[in-house]
Amino acid sequence: MVNITLLPWVILFSPLLAAFFIALFFLRSPKIAGILSTASVLISFAASAALFGFYLKNPSLLPVETAYAWISIPGLSIPFGFLIDRLSLLMLLIVTGVGSCIFLYSIGYMRGDQSFPRYFASLSLFAFSMLGIVLAHNFLMLFVFWELVAVSSYLLIGFWFEKPSAADAGNKAFIINRVGDFGFVIGIFMVWMLSGLGGAERTFLFSELATRIPDLAHQNLVTPAILTVAAFLVFCGVVGKSAQFPLYIWLPDAMEGPTPVSALIHAATMVAAGVYLLARTFFLIHDLPNVLETIAVIGVITAGMAALLAVVQNDIKKILAYSTISQLGYMVMAVGLGSSTIGMYHLTTHAFFKALLFLGAGAMIHSLHTQNIWEMGSLLKRMPVTAATFLIGTLALCGIYPFSGFFSKDEILALAYEENRVIYFAALLTAGLTAFYMTRAVWIAILGPDRKTHGHDHHAVHDAEPIMKWPLIVLAFFSVTAGFMGIPAFIMGGHGEHPHFNMAVAITSTGVALAGIALGTLLYARVKNRQDPLERFFGKAYDVLVKKYYLDEAFLALANFFQKLIAQILFIFDSKVIIDRGANGAAQLTAGLGSFIRYAQTGKLQTTALVFSFGLVALVAFMFLRGF
């Protein structure tokens, strides 16, 4: 019988061992590197499934917390440990299950790349880092893995670093996430400080904080204002990692990495970490209505702004990237409306259909050698499995019954309908935009005519090879069936409440999605050239969207302003204080003292007599003052 206590160790360290051995021994053995990396994540998936199955049969044992000595100094003890509960079990299956599909797919997609082993070493490190976030039972341990995810994403986004755009994208992702993480780390230590206000030893442990922080608030030992500041600082980490307004600008540029990396980042790992953090630390915010409302507003703004940007994109990966930002906005909005369960539900279904869409797009790019949707077309005949599974992912994303996106999206809309009608109508409009831009992409790239404008042999276009095709089929299956698996019931475990099925909301949202599909079909079903009808209709507004609201320019101008301001301050300090008062001042002081002291040794008789006279007068004056 498998020792259950060993399974978290197997889940976590299997990918790390693969990364270690590839980096040390197999950087010149692509085949072994691919097999070793993929086998490691499959082992993690098998262990996660075994752990899930055990606790599904023994739910009364949850939650389970294990701790091992890690950091121990006077006044501070931080163990290395695992927290196994319904939330972490679900995330383990998502990360390892969807990750296994992406790893298998990568073997076919990356075949022939000169840095194939380095890719799989980085991919395994990425999986290890995300699994560490999921299993972490304290804030500090989570933050260590949080930063490892950032390092891994930097390595993978800038994987083709010989391209300046890829190197810049990796830097952009890393730097912008540091902005969010700066607030996050301050928030962590602020929560740690607050945890000791009742006289108990300060702690980073989630299980202790989940009871202690609300108790301190109820006893008025922690004021709502202080707790609000701490909650917002922790939320800064979510804004960076899960690409919320205004820090979402790094995610579209992350498309410079290999397409399977995009699928992993967008579906199962990096951006999911922020939503998972919100769910894990929900105890910080669930009694703070102002914080919840702000989070919900940021989520719905992110969802709407990103959906509008997706409408004007011509790069199929960037369409999906903005779609991810929009759907992350839905998840954050759900948590802000008071339900971490529904946010996690949408994260789960989204992992399946977004991974499917990215891998489908990757298969198209792999065969057509272009990411531009206007250089594709007629793919249902030429790439039937890829095209059909992409259509399934599209219908799930649009929220059409019975696909999984329908269930999780409607849970969010029903929650918004009950809690905040303004947010509900904004989210409903975003759902219509989602259906519209995905219909646009489908008609141009898949159902539309073959646009023979790219310099390659169109007759050589073929469907994905089996190792890339089977992950698409598996993900398509779950994109259809995940809504029927009882995911919210599992997360809650019979506790808590979530909105019951709202038929009016379901009918309305389906009608809005169908309207978006109809409008997209009307505008793009007959477009044969490369002229986008929206460009003619919206003119300057279209240009604003193409320029991404000029947010990149605004951030660059802000960075340049502070860079120049700080540089000017440092220049003035250097020239006026360090050089003028420091270096030059010391030289002038030394020269002045030297000029004065040298009069004591001039060699002139009159000077000696003068000094002697002054000394004699001073001595006589001193004697008179002392009274002899």
Side-chain angles (χ1 to χ4, degrees):
M1 183 177 175
V2 177
N3 188 341
I4 294 299
T5 59
L6 292 179
L7 289 179
W9 292 95
V10 174
I11 293 167
L12 178 61
F13 285 100
S14 180
L16 179 64
L17 287 174
F20 177 80
F21 281 109
I22 292 170
L24 287 185
F25 305 111
F26 301 115
L27 282 178
R28 295 187 179 181
S29 306
K31 188 174 181 179
I32 296 176
I35 292 172
L36 189 59
S37 179
T38 305
S40 73
V41 77
L42 286 170
I43 290 170
S44 292
F45 175 60
S48 298
L51 200 67
F52 180 86
F54 176 80
Y55 287 114
L56 196 61
K57 293 178 182 178
N58 303 279
S60 61
L61 298 178
L62 292 174
V64 176
E65 192 169 357
T66 56
Y68 307 90
W70 183 29
I71 298 174
S72 183
I73 56 177
L76 180 65
S77 178
I78 305 169
F80 183 96
F82 305 125
L83 176 58
I84 307 297
D85 59 4
R86 293 176 181 274
L87 186 61
S88 58
L89 285 172
L90 179 65
M91 277 299 292
L92 285 176
L93 287 179
I94 295 169
V95 175
T96 59
V98 176
S100 295
C101 291
I102 295 169
F103 274 61
L104 279 168
Y105 177 98
S106 294
I107 292 175
Y109 189 89
M110 296 298 291
R111 185 179 289 118
D113 192 285
Q114 292 182 348
S115 299
F116 187 93
R118 176 168 61 87
Y119 169 84
F120 275 99
S122 301
L123 210 62
S124 295
L125 180 63
F126 202 173
F128 161 73
S129 305
M130 184 62 197
L131 290 169
I133 289 176
V134 174
L135 289 168
H137 84 326
N138 66 75
F139 256 127
L140 200 62
M141 180 179 164
L142 182 144
F143 186 74
V144 169
F145 285 104
W146 188 271
E147 294 305 299
L148 278 174
V149 164
V151 172
S152 306
S153 66
Y154 172 78
L155 295 174
L156 287 167
I157 293 168
F159 177 74
W160 288 314
F161 57 84
E162 63 274 7
K163 290 167 51 183
S165 58
D168 291 343
N171 287 331
K172 186 175 183 180
F174 192 81
I175 292 168
I176 289 179
N177 271 276
R178 299 292 67 70
V179 174
D181 291 353
F182 178 72
F184 182 32
V185 73
I186 296 174
I188 289 173
F189 282 100
M190 190 171 179
V191 171
W192 178 71
M193 292 291 292
L194 293 177
S195 69
L197 289 180
E201 183 182 353
R202 296 187 179 97
T203 182
F204 288 105
L205 300 183
F206 293 125
S207 56
E208 292 189 19
L209 289 170
T211 56
R212 194 180 300 181
I213 294 296
D215 286 346
L216 291 172
H218 292 153
Q219 297 171 30
N220 293 322
L221 293 174
V222 177
T223 64
I226 294 297
L227 198 55
T228 296
V229 172
F232 276 130
L233 286 170
V234 171
F235 182 62
C236 285
V238 179
V239 173
K241 269 295 188 292
S242 285
Q244 297 299 288
F245 176 82
L247 298 184
Y248 65 77
I249 60 172
W250 68 269
L251 194 52
D253 288 17
M255 298 303 97
E256 289 291 338
T259 304
V261 170
S262 303
L264 196 61
I265 288 175
H266 287 246
T269 54
M270 186 171 180
V271 297
V275 180
Y276 176 77
L277 174 65
L278 267 184
R280 175 61 73 205
T281 60
F282 193 64
F283 60 84
L284 278 177
I285 61 176
H286 76 279
D287 287 331
L288 299 172
N290 291 337
V291 175
L292 288 172
E293 185 177 359
T294 303
I295 290 173
V297 169
I298 289 174
V300 77
I301 288 173
T302 302
M305 290 181 69
L308 282 171
L309 292 175
V311 168
V312 301
Q313 299 301 312
N314 295 323
D315 184 322
I316 192 167
K317 288 176 67 175
K318 288 196 173 182
I319 293 172
L320 298 177
Y322 282 113
S323 170
T324 298
I325 297 170
S326 183
Q327 297 306 305
L328 288 167
Y330 268 111
M331 299 170 207
V332 169
M333 179 183 72
V335 177
L337 290 170
S339 178
S340 59
T341 298
I342 294 175
M344 287 299 299
Y345 183 21
H346 195 54
L347 184 151
T348 305
T349 61
H350 176 264
F352 294 125
F353 60 73
K354 186 52 60 69
L356 172 60
L357 288 169
F358 265 110
L359 297 187
M364 297 176 201
I365 295 165
H366 194 259
S367 183
L368 298 168
H369 308 291
T370 180
Q371 295 180 196
N372 192 332
I373 55 175
W374 295 100
E375 296 174 354
M376 299 180 180
S378 190
L379 296 184
L380 200 57
K381 295 179 181 178
R382 299 188 290 168
M383 303 179 68
V385 173
T386 300
T389 53
F390 192 90
L391 289 173
I392 289 172
T394 297
L395 291 170
L397 176 56
C398 293
I400 303 299
Y401 182 85
F403 300 93
S404 60
F406 167 83
F407 297 94
S408 56
K409 182 200 71 177
D410 269 40
E411 289 273 16
I412 296 174
L413 291 175
L415 178 66
Y417 184 80
E418 292 185 4
E419 299 293 333
N420 190 313
R421 294 293 173 85
V422 174
I423 288 179
Y424 165 71
F425 284 113
L428 192 63
L429 177 61
T430 301
L433 284 171
T434 301
F436 174 76
Y437 67 69
M438 286 307 299
T439 303
R440 171 182 178 267
V442 165
W443 273 111
I444 297 171
I446 295 176
L447 302 179
D450 178 13
R451 295 175 177 85
K452 298 181 180 180
T453 57
H454 203 68
H456 67 275
D457 184 2
H458 284 256
H459 298 289
V461 174
H462 54 82
D463 216 336
E465 58 181 291
I467 201 167
M468 296 169 64
K469 188 183 297 182
W470 280 107
L472 296 177
I473 294 170
V474 170
L475 290 169
F477 171 78
F478 284 104
S479 296
V480 175
T481 61
F484 300 98
M485 293 180 176
I487 295 168
F490 170 75
I491 298 173
M492 292 186 299
H495 304 288
E497 296 181 2
H498 67 281
H500 299 292
F501 182 75
N502 189 319
M503 182 60 74
V505 170
I507 292 173
T508 304
S509 66
T510 302
V512 168
L514 291 174
I517 292 171
L519 182 59
T521 302
L522 181 66
L523 285 178
Y524 293 99
R526 296 182 180 180
V527 173
K528 295 183 179 180
N529 56 27
R530 297 182 61 184
Q531 182 66 39
D532 194 329
L534 290 180
E535 192 172 354
R536 298 196 308 271
F537 293 156
F538 293 106
K540 291 184 179 180
Y542 184 90
D543 294 335
V544 172
L545 292 177
V546 169
K547 292 291 186 180
K548 300 173 285 189
Y549 310 115
Y550 297 95
L551 270 180
D552 281 299
E553 289 79 1
F555 271 100
L556 185 61
L558 191 65
N560 286 337
F561 170 76
F562 281 106
Q563 183 182 12
K564 290 178 181 178
L565 178 64
I566 293 171
Q568 189 66 30
I569 292 171
L570 292 176
F571 172 75
I572 292 171
F573 179 79
D574 182 53
S575 62
K576 300 298 182 184
V577 178
I578 302 299
I579 296 175
D580 290 354
R581 296 290 181 271
N584 293 343
Q588 291 169 0
L589 178 63
T590 303
L593 287 173
S595 298
F596 177 75
I597 293 171
R598 72 183 180 186
Y599 286 112
Q601 295 292 337
T602 62
K604 296 179 179 179
L605 183 62
Q606 57 268 36
T607 303
T608 304
L610 180 63
V611 172
F612 177 80
S613 301
F614 273 118
L616 182 62
V617 171
L619 180 62
V620 171
F622 177 74
M623 292 175 65
F624 270 109
L625 289 174
R626 291 290 302 270
F628 295 97

